Amino acid sequence: MVGRRRCAGWRPGAGLRAALLAEIQADVGSGPCRAAEAVGRELAAWSARLRTDIDGAYRAALAAPAPAAAGDTIPAEVWSLVGTSPFEDGQPTRAARDLARSLGRDLGITARTYGDPLGPFVSAARSRAAPELDASAWSRVVVAAALRAYVPQLDAHGAWAPLDEEISIYDLALEIEPPARLWTEMTRTSLGVRIEAGAMAPLADGDVVLRAHDVALGCVSVEQAEQLSMLAERNATTRVTVLRRGQRAPLELVVAAPTSAPAPGEAPELPLEMVRYGDGQVAVLGLSDVPDDLGARVSAALDRARARGELRGVLLDVRGNGGGSTDGAIATIGIFLPGASLFPMRRRDGGVEVERAPEVPIEARWVGPLAVLADGDSASAAEMIAGAMVAYRRGPLLGERTYGKGCAQEYLDDDAHAGVLRLTTLLFALPDGTPVQKVGVAPTVRLTMPAVTEKEALTEHALGPWRGPDVRDQARIHEVPWPAHGGRLGPCHQEATCRALRALGAVPAAAR
């Protein structure tokens, strides 16, 4: 409760804030951080006041008469209290001391109702809500919080997170085998987290999880709760303690991760729509993001499309695709431009390296007509896919100019081994050298799409554009014209798809 944005009763003065910033920026190695220590002393006193508020409200609630209950059942109002979040999303609207008293009251009512079995979890929540740390320990918290706020001021896409919250800066959903999770949606409560959806058996939606991986969950941060929901290894098991409606005591459950791994080459199916086009069909592949295994997913979708009839062309729909894995983008490009020299990439030290598409087996390639449909929200790795096709004239880009995120990030352990850094380490240009960063990829044929309000060019602290060398293999620059459809087109699930397909007949004229 004394973490980010919750110290509503005190803020350091401007002079102290400037001194703290100077300490973060100083290149003096290890040593005392006087400004952080000053803030730490204030926070130690502030936390003590919050602890007094929590404990006072807790003792008062513990001594109050218990609500009536039928038999051994838990009163409905108490169960509602157990599963309700005392925390606010977004900007807090009430003072921290009010929250402290409310939290203490809730914990007291719960402890009075459930008795000794809940004692360890109530104690954990009370101590975590207002930690009993000395000024030196609080100063380390201050440095960590300042670093977390400081990194994005240097790098628009940079971040730092402590080890117990490190997954907050990763996108695990883009991994080929993302870790299994105890739940998919949750709400924090005073004692733990209530599972809203996606409970892994024998857990059930509605359970309030008190402990996972031997860690009590009372008053943990959202990021910590999400990290504790992970079962990183296949065949792994963990003990989980829950409160369940109708039970007077916590349940001890053992949860096992799925034991079966995906078969080699197996990938989740991409959305595939087959649209009539002249005397054949067009395969419309929906690419909502760019996971590590996107190449395998696209290849599998093309196999499904070929099996459904005469294939006249392929349309890759990357509208709203915010990007993801560079490796996934390059593997996908290899299906359409096998072996092509791709993106010049400039690293922070000024060195330039060039990516090359993989040599895909002949049977897995698509050499026929191709097009990409994009909008202003198509970014990063999605812009790689669209831009490579445009640069090699492999297929037109239809829609709007893309977002303009022509940079990539890497993850690094910090020198103190206290957390993980995400930093922008390179800029990329299209194969013909055209900049992407803050520029985007221009459509071959413009189709009006819903307006977007965010662009890399409007992002504070983002790197500027970079024009690279033309690294294209000239022999691979080759247009594959789209056939006429003669008005025999559709229907389509989305009108934007049909608009794109109707426009393809005019692409050669528009491109000349």
Side-chain angles (χ1 to χ4, degrees):
M1 189 162 61
V2 291
R4 290 173 295 155
R5 299 199 303 170
R6 290 216 173 95
C7 294
W10 175 83
R11 292 179 182 174
L16 196 54
R17 292 198 297 270
L20 181 59
L21 178 61
E23 287 179 349
I24 294 173
Q25 293 175 328
D27 185 16
V28 294
S30 61
C33 296
R34 302 302 182 193
E37 290 172 355
V39 179
R41 287 192 292 273
E42 293 285 349
L43 283 175
W46 174 244
S47 185
R49 289 195 291 273
L50 292 179
R51 217 164 30 249
T52 298
D53 290 335
I54 291 172
D55 290 345
Y58 174 79
R59 287 192 294 270
L62 203 60
D72 287 338
T73 61
I74 298 296
E77 60 267 35
V78 175
W79 176 251
S80 176
L81 198 66
V82 169
T84 299
S85 177
F87 309 109
E88 297 177 279
D89 292 330
Q91 185 67 32
T93 61
R94 59 176 174 171
R97 297 189 69 180
D98 289 339
L99 173 59
R101 288 185 283 267
S102 175
L103 185 61
R105 184 199 68 232
D106 293 353
L107 291 172
I109 293 172
T110 304
R112 182 188 65 205
T113 304
Y114 283 89
D116 291 343
L118 232 57
F121 307 107
V122 171
S123 295
R126 290 170 65 192
S127 63
R128 192 177 281 125
E132 195 168 353
L133 304 176
D134 62 19
S136 176
W138 272 115
S139 72
R140 292 192 292 273
V141 174
V142 171
V143 171
L147 178 61
R148 199 167 199 170
Y150 178 67
V151 171
Q153 306 308 307
L154 300 178
D155 182 342
H157 304 289
W160 177 86
L163 294 177
D164 60 354
E165 297 183 8
E166 64 177 318
I167 68 158
S168 64
I169 63 174
Y170 291 102
D171 194 343
L172 297 178
L174 298 177
E175 295 185 358
I176 294 177
E177 292 185 38
R181 303 187 59 172
L182 299 174
W183 58 77
T184 57
E185 296 181 25
M186 63 86 183
T187 296
R188 288 190 305 154
T189 74
S190 58
L191 279 173
V193 300
R194 185 185 72 242
I195 301 178
E196 303 288 0
M200 182 184 293
L203 300 175
D205 292 351
D207 283 349
V208 174
V209 181
L210 305 175
R211 177 170 54 199
H213 302 289
D214 296 322
V215 177
L217 299 184
C219 293
V220 298
S221 68
V222 172
E223 295 88 349
Q224 289 168 333
E226 291 295 341
Q227 189 151 318
L228 288 165
S229 76
M230 301 290 178
L231 285 171
E233 298 179 6
R234 292 196 175 277
N235 304 317
T237 62
T238 189
R239 288 190 312 116
V240 180
T241 307
V242 304
L243 276 181
R244 183 168 289 174
R245 179 185 289 275
Q247 302 288 330
R248 286 203 61 88
L251 301 177
E252 295 287 342
L253 305 174
V254 176
V255 183
T259 58
S260 60
E266 181 181 326
E269 289 189 349
L270 290 174
L272 169 64
E273 179 186 4
M274 302 299 294
V275 178
R276 181 185 179 186
Y277 189 94
D279 59 354
Q281 299 180 91
V282 167
V284 181
L285 276 60
L287 312 184
S288 59
D289 53 22
V290 185
D292 289 335
D293 63 344
L294 182 61
R297 298 189 191 193
V298 170
S299 181
L302 287 175
D303 287 343
R304 288 157 48 209
R306 290 185 181 103
R308 294 190 184 182
E310 191 69 25
L311 196 55
R312 296 301 186 201
V314 173
L315 177 64
L316 303 179
D317 185 353
V318 298
R319 289 175 297 159
N321 185 324
S325 167
T326 298
D327 291 341
I330 291 172
T332 301
I333 294 168
I335 297 170
F336 309 101
L337 288 167
S341 180
L342 295 177
F343 312 101
M345 295 186 171
R346 189 184 73 178
R347 294 198 166 272
R348 282 185 174 268
D349 62 4
V352 177
E353 57 189 53
V354 179
E355 294 285 351
R356 184 173 289 276
E359 287 284 0
V360 175
I362 293 176
E363 64 273 12
R365 300 176 185 178
W366 173 253
V367 298
L370 174 72
V372 183
L373 177 61
D375 61 12
D377 287 323
S378 305
S380 191
E383 292 177 282
M384 285 183 162
I385 296 172
M389 306 312 164
V390 171
Y392 272 98
R393 301 178 190 169
R394 178 62 182 85
L397 174 63
L398 301 99
E400 299 276 11
R401 183 179 290 272
T402 59
Y403 183 85
K405 183 177 180 290
C407 57
Q409 290 70 45
E410 291 181 322
Y411 296 88
L412 312 163
D413 293 334
D414 62 27
D415 289 342
H417 305 293
V420 175
L421 274 168
R422 182 181 68 215
L423 292 176
T424 300
T425 56
L426 57 84
L427 289 165
F428 68 86
L430 297 186
D432 62 0
T434 301
V436 177
Q437 177 68 7
K438 286 192 172 182
V439 175
V441 184
T444 314
V445 176
R446 186 176 182 276
L447 300 176
T448 302
M449 298 286 174
V452 298
T453 57
E454 296 183 7
K455 288 283 186 182
E456 184 79 356
L458 303 177
T459 302
E460 292 187 14
H461 313 300
L463 295 174
W466 172 66
R467 177 174 291 278
D470 187 339
V471 299
R472 290 177 297 176
D473 301 321
Q474 296 298 315
R476 296 178 186 268
I477 300 175
H478 176 61
E479 293 188 33
V480 181
W482 277 76
H485 52 66
R488 294 172 293 169
L489 189 150
C492 306
H493 291 324
Q494 298 184 36
E495 175 56 25
T497 304
C498 269
R499 283 199 295 138
L501 294 177
R502 281 195 294 268
L504 283 170
V507 165
R512 282 197 290 268

